[in-house]
Amino acid sequence: MSIRMPFFNNRHEPIKETLTEEIVLEKVPEHVAIIMDGNGRWANRRGLPRIAGHKEGMEVVQRIVRVADKLKIKILTMYAFSTENWKRPKAEVDYLMRLPKMFLDKYLPELIEKNVKVNVIGELSVLPPHTLQAVHQAMEKTKDNTGLLLNFALNYGGRNEIVKAVKQMVDDVANGKVAKEDITEELFEQYLYTHNFCDPDLIIRTSGEKRISNFLLWQSAYSEFWFTDVLWPDFTEETLKEALQDYQTRIRRFGGV
Ligand code: V07
């Protein structure tokens, strides 16, 4: 028998008119990854500076963490900052680099209370020290938590990740730790940031763009994709459930029949 959950709006009232379908809890994807696009556009439309969109986007992250926790999603990976984002105006980059600490100052106690484990993937060595410190502290404080794995991609690029893995593997071949004959897909994966977790089952991208944009390139080989025109700051529990419902209607074949 399967447990079903009705849809709720932001006021926790069941939604009757628009969404009558339900979510089968046993078929909720284990790993959901999200490209949180459209924060700047959201702000522009309101005549606000772009950073106001990023701030609102940060609030939405926590709202979606609560839903993911409730639905027993195991891993939630959020694309917070790409290796391309350094090209943005310096003031915007400076603001973005303060968001991890802002988020953690505000929400780390709640994450700890919810048994959430915080993790960060990406090229972290070049981040400002204040950003690194906040992130390291959160990872340390939640390292033994066994609930939702909340994974932020920070200064992450898929090609960069693969090149980094290749270099490390070449080193290991040179120093005799690995024999060329032993290189397989399974071994290669051990060199990626994501070596501890399963590939994303579902990748969501907001704001109308339908591209992967250097996110989880290796890991998305068999992922389902779901795109929406909804801008990230407008993304709600209902939007996530719409994505999950669509996911549950798809037959996943992993290339077989
Ligand atoms: C950022 C808010 C979400 C929309 C996308 C861009 C702006 C949360 C974090 C974060 C990162 C690491 C961490 C805890 C929180 C974050 C950046 C941007 C750079 F350990 N939101 N958010 N980091 N945005």
Side-chain angles (χ1 to χ4, degrees), residues 67-79:
V67 181
D69 176 57
K70 194 169 71 181
L71 294 175
K72 301 279 193 291
I73 288 170
K74 292 205 174 73
I75 308 174
L76 186 63
T77 299
M78 312 296 260
Y79 206 175

Side-chain angles (χ1 to χ4, degrees), residues 36 39 54 57-58 61 80-81 96 99-100 103-104 118 120 135 152 154 232:
M36 306 180 284
N39 303 286
H54 297 318
M58 181 195 89
V61 169
F81 193 90
L96 285 166
L99 278 178
F103 177 92
L104 293 165
V118 177
V120 176
V135 158
F152 288 99
L154 246 191
W232 178 250

